[in-house]
Amino acid sequence: MGAGHYVLRHDNEGAPQAAYARLPGESGSLLVLTCSRQVLESDGPSVPFVTIAVSQKQFLGRSDPRGRSTVYWVDDDSPEVGHWIYRDRYGQVPDPVQVNALVEKLEGAQRLVVELSNYRYETQKSEFRLNVSDTKTVTERFRKDCRDILGAKSILQTPGQSKAAP
């Protein structure tokens, strides 16, 4: 992902707990991939969390829990519409299946464009230029780390791998 950053955080026992990949885009925007398991209650089980988010300088406002329609496209493919959750200055893909599909598309991509819309539904474009070999390395590592973090709960699959495969 070019000049991005990748962090793998471990819990107290040394097991991987969270993976974060971050890529700067144009005009101060950031693309962030996150995979983690979090304990929400002290005696409760860990909860899986997988998302892709785009953060930018402009205020976007909040969306309702169903999200706001967001248009994005990879390279010269047809634009796609997804429902992203908006909070203040970022929009995120909340559905792990959609995260997996977008991570898979990013693997061979040179460019990602996301049109976030503010609370007045005015579009604000975030563009990311990607280095194909770096992006492939990061997406492969992210998938592997996410499978290690989430175990059987992980939906991030290697391209062509069935979800039933171990």
Side-chain angles (χ1 to χ4, degrees):
M1 293 179 115
H5 299 91
Y6 192 93
V7 174
L8 180 61
R9 191 176 70 204
H10 295 82
D11 62 18
N12 293 338
E13 288 79 39
Q17 183 179 25
Y20 306 97
R22 184 175 78 169
L23 173 70
E26 296 179 356
S27 302
S29 59
L30 287 173
L31 176 67
V32 182
L33 286 74
T34 304
C35 177
S36 67
R37 56 183 165 82
Q38 301 173 359
V39 177
L40 301 177
E41 297 177 21
S42 62
D43 59 346
S46 63
V47 176
F49 181 72
V50 180
T51 189
I52 292 179
V54 172
S55 173
Q56 61 179 30
K57 290 181 179 180
Q58 295 87 3
F59 182 74
L60 298 168
R62 293 184 174 266
S63 66
D64 64 33
R66 293 182 315 254
R68 193 178 295 159
S69 292
T70 301
V71 178
Y72 62 95
W73 59 95
V74 177
D75 291 334
D76 294 325
D77 291 347
S78 299
E80 295 192 37
V81 177
H83 288 280
W84 292 34
I85 304 294
Y86 283 63
R87 297 290 180 259
D88 301 325
R89 289 179 163 62
Y90 71 89
Q92 77 179 33
V93 180
D95 179 32
V97 173
Q98 290 178 17
V99 171
N100 185 52
L102 189 48
V103 168
E104 189 172 320
K105 287 180 182 186
L106 287 175
E107 187 165 296
Q110 295 179 334
R111 183 172 159 244
L112 169 68
V113 177
V114 178
E115 284 189 351
L116 300 169
S117 58
N118 66 18
Y119 58 97
R120 287 181 254 174
Y121 298 102
E122 301 165 330
T123 60
Q124 299 178 18
K125 189 182 293 187
S126 294
E127 186 168 345
F128 301 89
R129 303 252 179 226
L130 308 170
N131 176 301
V132 175
S133 64
D134 289 347
T135 304
K136 181 177 174 72
T137 300
V138 169
T139 56
E140 287 174 350
R141 181 174 177 193
F142 183 75
R143 277 195 200 96
K144 181 211 172 290
D145 288 342
C146 199
R147 283 191 302 269
D148 291 346
I149 292 164
L150 303 179
K153 296 177 184 175
S154 177
I155 57 83
L156 290 181
Q157 305 296 320
T158 304
Q161 178 182 11
S162 87
K163 290 186 180 177

